[in-house]
Amino acid sequence: MRRQKGFTLIELLIVVAIIGIIAAIAIPNLLNAINRSRQKRSMSDMRTIGTATEAYAVDWAYYPQEAEAPVATSLEPHLSPVYIKKTPPNDGWREAFRAVSESRFYTVGSAGRDKVWENSLDATAYDRNPTTVMDCDIIYANGTFISYPEGVQTD
């Protein structure tokens, strides 16, 4: 009598169960890492827009005066291509950055993962502290972040 080669049904079920357990652990960590990278990309792009706006202010002695609007229509005509080659129009979640600028102040913002604005872009409406909430607005005003994610993020 020849012995059959191969795996038994029990062995295959155990392997599938182990793969399922590993996936259940790994997928939430992967999704969190993706959202954190989107936050960091958005913060980096906002810092770049702020640096270009500061360079504009050095040359002209004031910031561009624009009402609250998407960056592509408010700041980009003043900044591109002299101070920045191409102004980043969208945050990590593919939503338009918003900006408001006055002669002495500017604010750039992203609504974050939930795409819902907590307040207007008025810098005084935010508490100027880091937050651990994943859905927080990210606000960059006058060279510093006034509302931003930091530390372990909660959903």
Side-chain angles (χ1 to χ4, degrees):
M1 207 173 219
R2 260 181 4 172
R3 186 157 189 238
Q4 296 279 335
K5 292 183 181 180
F7 296 108
T8 66
L9 182 59
I10 298 295
E11 291 170 333
L12 290 174
L13 287 174
I14 290 172
V15 169
V16 169
I18 290 172
I19 291 172
I21 291 170
I22 291 172
I25 293 170
I27 289 175
N29 290 336
L30 175 66
L31 295 176
N32 190 20
I34 289 170
N35 281 319
R36 290 292 304 254
S37 69
R38 288 178 176 162
Q39 285 177 338
K40 297 304 177 188
R41 176 189 153 207
S42 298
M43 291 175 72
S44 175
D45 286 348
M46 291 166 71
R47 194 175 290 117
T48 300
I49 293 168
T51 302
T53 306
E54 294 287 342
Y56 177 95
V58 166
D59 286 351
W60 294 91
Y62 59 87
Y63 297 117
Q65 296 187 18
E66 295 292 334
E68 185 174 332
V71 167
T73 58
S74 62
L75 293 179
E76 185 173 22
H78 301 284
L79 303 179
S80 292
V82 176
Y83 302 102
I84 187 171
K85 184 175 182 179
K86 175 79 173 116
T87 306
N90 298 327
D91 62 11
W93 295 274
R94 297 187 184 121
E95 291 293 314
F97 284 119
R98 299 204 48 91
V100 62
S101 180
E102 299 172 13
S103 63
R104 295 180 28 223
F105 306 101
Y106 72 93
T107 305
V108 180
S110 166
R113 181 181 73 171
D114 64 353
K115 302 176 185 176
V116 175
W117 289 95
E118 297 167 18
N119 294 308
S120 67
L121 278 183
D122 181 14
T124 60
Y126 293 89
D127 60 2
R128 298 184 177 268
N129 290 319
T131 179
T132 58
V133 179
M134 182 72 77
D135 294 332
C136 75
D137 292 353
I138 305 171
I139 305 297
Y140 188 77
N142 301 320
T144 187
F145 284 98
I146 60 171
S147 176
Y148 57 98
E150 185 176 85
V152 177
Q153 302 292 298
T154 58
D155 279 332

